[in-house]
Amino acid sequence: MGSRRATRRAGRPALAHGRATGRRRNRSGPARPGAAGMTRAAVGARSRVRQGQPFPLGATWDGMGVNFALYSRHATKVELCLFDARGREVERIALPEYTDEVWHGYLPDARPGMRYGYRVHGPYAPDAGHRFNPHKLVLDPYAKQLVGDIKWAPHLFGYTIGHKDADLSMDRRDSAPYMPRCVVVDPAYTWGRDRRPCTPWDRSVIYEGHVRGLSMQLPSVPDALRGRFSAVHADELVDHLRYLGVTALELLPVHAHADDQYLVERGLSNYWGYNTLGFFAPHPGFLSGTDIAEFKQMVAGLHHAGLEVILDVVYNHTAEGNELGPTLSFKGIDNASYYRLADDRRYYINDTGTGNTFDLTNAGALRMVMDSLRYWVQDMHVDGFRFDLATILGRERAGFDPSSSFLDAVRQDPVLSQVKLIAEPWDIGPGGYQLGRFPPGWSEWNDRFRDTMRAFWRGDEGQLSDFATRLMGSADLFSHLGRRPSASVNFVTAHDGFTLHDLVSYNDKHNNANGEDGQDGSDNNLSWNHGAEGPTDDPDVRALRQRQVRNLLASLIFSQGTPMLLAGDEFGHGQNGNNNAYCQDNPLTWLDWERAQNAEGRSLSAFVRRLLALRRRYPQLRRSRFLQARDAHAEEGVHWYRADGQPMTVDDWNDPQARSLMLELPAALDAGQTSRQTSLLLLINAGATEQRFMPPALDAGRWKIMISSAAAATEIGDDGSVVLVDRALMLLARRHAAEG
């Protein structure tokens, strides 16, 4: 997990036959008249190909016809293949022109709805990095829509499986009957009064969820819409997000993706979707019909509710696997241009753990990624991206470079530089851990925050100093080049790993349902079952778990930086101890909304709502710049105290047994804030016994308890002291006398 990248990919079998899509039914619906439904004769009659233009890439409808353009530096010939609604190939048309490494042609009578693919000719020379095979239908990398399923068969592979020379052989069977189809789309859509929320970073709170997981068990959603884009902006779900006070919904991959063959054979799927097949097309299984406008309607609905939409995107690898993987798109279009190859060019560099690595040092591959990102911002109106294994995107031939081609391209881009950009700053390649090294304009998933918070509240020794640093925004990692605390995306849990409920309920992972003999998923979870493995009726264990969940949530939301919540953590969703549920598309991962409505679920959701309300109310909890984290008397800073009210010393910070402290956040000095005269005091007791705190005296008046993770009522004594039970947290507030 985290910096070691023992994640969803850990322990999986080698890509014997690569990766491909799963078994969803064709949801393409009826073809438009004169397009995909045309007869063979009709296609031939109107296929008067003209030279067309090399830009834009992809299939572009201009109101009169469709321009087709495909980048391939090393191809010798490109054929456009047209299909009818029944999936039959009805015509092949050689693209007539080749300009600046782009093959192109124009069909004057083609229309939206036309289904197509390509066959690309060139050398089949794996030792030289080339894997052209015109017997294999390949998908347009710029296709805006895909229909149909991949049907696993040996025909999908460019080589003959079982041949003595393995991938050096060439398979001549036609793969078209087993492949999805690309679809020409009409991009027209009336956005009306859609406005981006443009939530400032210091007010942003991210909620990470999955299209299917969010809505498959949402009571108010009709069965036909569950798990689809339409359900994501259902009133019930939107009302819940607004009730909590989150500002952005981050969706796990929505790009068209493939299910691994070995998962399909086990009756499973690549549920998370980190196996991209097309970087412009929404995943067909997330559409309730055949119109990609459904995604746009979702975005508009969330924007109307004041919620931003952030997409988790996977530009580091594709679904084609290694040299033994299938030929689905890039591999057959121009393998040597799109992928990073080893010195022996038959083989792939595998910095992703998935078989291949996309090569953003190549201009054509870089252009495709940039075009894809701009498409989702400009045409689909999304508000930002979280980049999976983002170190790869910044890796040049000599290693990671904050001024790499991709990172510089994004930084100077007038569109992309203005949206939220979040990096997962690690991969499994050399020098893969790059937390804090991304350039200005980027925020980063902070796994140091995650691990420290888990270890501290578990009671591990020697965590107090690091806990304080993470609480104040991880200045040691991000305070340079004008970066702000918001550059640290703080999280305790994410899709990858235990849910918060499971983090406090299991010492060990329980991943048997994945069919990998428990070898997948991380073993370094920093979890604690608090006395019983899994479900228990022991009231003491249950009470302690509930308190620890609140401690972790409060530590997350009261920390400087950008908080990210995992969907379902706010009401206790669990996965039976599975910390790598990447292949579980079933009630294990679908949010249990009934649990959200029981007493415990409602109580925890109300607690999260209160935490986020306090964060909004008090600017000290969301500073837009770094402060001196440990200067006990720094002007405009923070003050650290021992439980007895004395300032923390170096020895106190270095005491491996120390597990309690007080953090004073003086009255906010931000101009225009209504709470500018209110001081806050955060009491922390991660010890195994109760702790008496003596809050510092300021001026006339008393501290007031704002929120506590302890279930039992706590009062401030006559002497101003507070007794906090073991493993608990409390926030106090105090107005200055000048306020009256």
Side-chain angles (χ1 to χ4, degrees):
M1 81 192 274
S3 61
R4 304 298 180 266
R5 201 56 196 168
T7 59
R8 59 183 178 274
R9 306 170 179 90
R12 296 188 195 175
L15 285 170
H17 295 152
R19 298 176 180 271
T21 56
R23 302 178 295 179
R24 287 191 175 88
R25 298 180 62 188
N26 188 331
R27 303 183 184 279
S28 58
R32 299 189 185 194
M38 54 193 163
T39 66
R40 291 173 184 262
V43 172
R46 55 171 58 125
S47 295
R48 300 185 300 273
V49 64
R50 301 175 185 173
Q51 68 177 25
Q53 300 294 328
F55 180 85
L57 290 166
T60 306
W61 158 246
D62 63 6
M64 299 290 290
V66 178
N67 190 79
F68 293 89
L70 181 73
Y71 164 80
S72 181
R73 180 180 183 183
H74 298 102
T76 58
K77 177 182 177 181
V78 173
E79 293 178 300
L80 172 68
C81 303
L82 305 182
F83 296 86
D84 64 17
R86 296 177 62 183
R88 297 174 299 183
E89 185 174 355
V90 294
E91 188 172 4
R92 297 184 190 181
I93 303 168
L95 294 184
E97 292 292 333
Y98 181 55
T99 305
D100 296 334
E101 302 179 340
V102 175
W103 298 83
H104 54 94
Y106 182 84
L107 295 187
D109 298 312
R111 295 290 182 267
M114 173 180 281
R115 303 181 183 190
Y116 71 99
Y118 290 108
R119 297 180 188 274
V120 183
H121 298 252
Y124 188 83
D127 285 337
H130 300 307
R131 296 179 179 271
F132 296 100
N133 187 335
H135 303 285
K136 309 305 172 184
L137 185 77
V138 292
L139 301 175
D140 181 359
Y142 280 72
K144 305 300 192 302
Q145 185 175 359
L146 300 181
V147 297
D149 302 324
I150 284 182
K151 302 175 181 65
W152 276 103
H155 304 64
L156 295 173
F157 297 84
Y159 65 96
T160 302
I161 296 175
H163 192 278
K164 65 178 181 178
D165 293 323
D167 62 302
L168 297 181
S169 63
M170 182 177 180
D171 187 273
R172 300 178 182 278
R173 288 172 289 187
D174 183 12
S175 70
Y178 306 92
M179 285 287 290
R181 309 287 185 255
C182 306
V183 181
V184 177
V185 303
D186 183 347
Y189 181 79
T190 302
W191 282 97
R193 297 183 178 181
D194 180 62
R195 296 292 182 272
R196 301 181 188 275
C198 296
T199 307
W201 268 111
D202 62 346
R203 289 181 173 270
S204 294
V205 179
I206 299 170
Y207 186 89
E208 187 199 35
H210 187 283
V211 170
R212 286 179 63 78
L214 287 169
S215 61
M216 283 301 292
Q217 300 191 96
L218 199 61
S220 64
V221 175
D223 290 346
L225 298 183
R226 292 185 179 186
R228 317 299 182 191
F229 292 125
S230 294
V232 176
H233 64 105
D235 289 346
E236 185 178 3
L237 179 55
V238 170
D239 289 348
H240 176 73
L241 299 180
R242 296 185 67 183
Y243 168 82
L244 293 176
V246 302
T247 68
L249 177 61
E250 180 178 306
L251 293 172
L252 268 67
V254 301
H255 290 167
H257 60 262
D259 290 330
D260 312 73
Q261 182 179 12
Y262 76 92
L263 291 176
V264 172
E265 291 171 350
R266 296 176 187 172
L268 300 172
S269 66
N270 195 315
Y271 171 67
W272 284 349
Y274 291 89
N275 204 31
T276 309
L277 192 60
F279 293 100
F280 291 77
H283 186 60
F286 295 162
L287 294 171
S288 59
T290 61
D291 193 343
I292 63 171
E294 184 176 350
F295 181 90
K296 299 178 181 181
Q297 292 162 0
M298 175 195 74
V299 172
L302 292 170
H303 281 177
H304 182 71
L307 296 166
E308 293 184 312
V309 179
I310 298 173
L311 301 186
D312 195 336
V313 288
V314 191
Y315 293 106
N316 56 77
H317 76 282
T318 77
E320 293 186 295
N322 59 16
E323 68 278 1
L324 299 179
T327 296
L328 306 174
S329 182
F330 305 95
K331 185 178 289 186
I333 294 172
D334 197 340
N335 185 70
S337 294
Y338 278 112
Y339 293 117
R340 293 193 64 195
L341 303 179
D343 291 339
D344 182 345
R345 296 180 66 76
R346 175 182 176 183
Y347 301 104
Y348 296 78
I349 291 175
N350 185 20
D351 291 341
T352 65
T354 61
N356 64 58
T357 303
F358 216 62
D359 187 4
L360 294 191
T361 66
N362 173 272
L366 175 62
R367 175 173 55 187
M368 192 281 293
V369 172
M370 296 295 291
D371 287 348
S372 170
L373 291 169
R374 280 190 292 265
Y375 172 74
W376 289 98
V377 173
Q378 295 177 305
D379 288 56
M380 304 300 240
H381 284 207
V382 304
D383 304 284
F385 305 94
R386 178 266 187 189
F387 293 83
D388 181 65
L389 300 183
T391 298
I392 285 170
L393 308 181
R395 182 177 278 117
E396 298 290 301
R397 297 300 179 187
F400 178 81
D401 184 352
S403 292
S404 69
S405 299
F406 171 74
L407 295 178
D408 277 353
V410 170
R411 187 175 182 182
Q412 62 77 43
D413 190 276
V415 173
L416 301 180
S417 63
Q418 300 306 305
V419 301
K420 288 184 166 68
L421 303 170
I422 304 169
E424 183 184 40
W426 50 75
D427 63 29
I428 67 170
Y433 189 67
Q434 295 294 333
L435 178 63
R437 292 202 60 211
F438 277 72
W442 285 77
S443 293
E444 303 174 38
W445 269 28
N446 188 349
D447 67 322
R448 288 279 300 277
F449 179 95
R450 175 200 63 200
D451 293 350
T452 297
M453 292 298 159
R454 291 183 179 192
F456 177 76
W457 284 110
R458 189 172 67 169
D460 291 10
E461 292 185 355
Q463 298 294 319
L464 190 65
S465 178
D466 203 38
F467 174 81
T469 301
R470 304 303 147 226
L471 201 66
M472 295 309 300
S474 298
D476 60 326
L477 299 171
F478 299 105
S479 183
H480 58 273
L481 301 177
R483 301 183 77 184
R484 301 299 181 95
S486 58
S488 176
V489 175
N490 300 328
F491 65 104
V492 175
T493 56
H495 68 275
D496 193 351
F498 279 139
T499 67
L500 189 53
H501 171 275
D502 289 357
L503 183 70
V504 301
S505 303
Y506 295 91
N507 284 345
D508 304 303
K509 64 187 182 185
H510 297 266
N511 296 356
N512 290 336
N514 296 351
E516 299 181 34
D517 297 323
Q519 299 301 305
D520 63 304
S522 175
D523 293 312
N524 181 33
N525 298 293
L526 298 173
S527 61
W528 179 27
N529 65 21
H530 297 86
E533 187 74 356
T536 180
D537 293 327
D538 187 316
D540 293 333
V541 172
R542 290 171 61 90
L544 182 53
R545 288 177 178 177
Q546 291 171 14
R547 193 156 69 248
Q548 289 282 60
V549 164
R550 285 169 166 76
N551 290 332
L552 289 162
L553 287 168
S555 298
L556 170 64
I557 293 171
F558 289 162
S559 291
Q560 305 298 321
T562 304
M564 185 185 79
L565 292 164
L566 173 64
D569 276 356
E570 76 276 12
F571 56 76
H573 173 74
Q575 295 177 168
N576 297 337
N578 191 321
N579 76 344
N580 189 35
Y582 76 101
C583 57
Q584 299 295 327
D585 186 5
N586 52 55
L588 183 75
T589 53
W590 302 341
L591 296 191
D592 182 0
W593 290 103
E594 288 188 7
R595 185 184 184 100
Q597 297 304 317
N598 67 27
E600 287 187 9
R602 290 198 307 271
S603 175
L604 187 55
S605 292
F607 181 79
V608 173
R609 171 185 169 88
R610 176 64 172 160
L611 292 174
L612 289 174
L614 290 168
R615 182 181 175 89
R616 289 193 302 275
R617 179 177 178 183
Y618 296 114
Q620 300 101 305
L621 297 173
R622 45 179 177 81
R623 293 279 192 180
S624 61
R625 61 186 179 86
F626 286 104
L627 301 177
Q628 296 292 328
R630 293 189 190 170
D631 187 343
H633 301 289
E635 182 181 1
E636 302 182 18
V638 296
H639 304 160
W640 299 97
Y641 301 96
R642 300 185 314 222
D644 62 6
Q646 296 301 308
M648 291 285 289
T649 66
V650 173
D651 288 341
D652 293 328
W653 286 117
N654 293 331
D655 181 359
Q657 303 301 322
R659 293 182 175 86
S660 64
L661 80 162
M662 291 187 291
L663 163 61
E664 180 193 340
L665 298 168
L669 301 176
D670 302 53
Q673 297 288 348
T674 59
S675 58
R676 64 189 301 270
Q677 295 298 314
T678 301
S679 292
L680 301 178
L681 188 69
L682 189 62
L683 279 53
I684 305 287
N685 178 25
T689 59
E690 70 177 22
Q691 178 70 57
R692 179 178 295 276
F693 290 85
M694 182 57 68
L698 296 179
D699 43 30
R702 294 173 60 86
W703 292 100
K704 177 182 177 182
I705 298 174
M706 305 304 294
I707 197 168
S708 173
S709 64
T714 303
E715 295 182 358
I716 299 177
D718 292 338
D719 61 352
S721 66
V722 178
V723 177
L724 199 55
V725 299
D726 63 293
R727 298 187 176 90
L729 172 152
M730 180 182 292
L731 182 70
L732 308 179
R734 183 175 185 177
R735 286 185 172 242
H736 286 201
E739 288 185 270

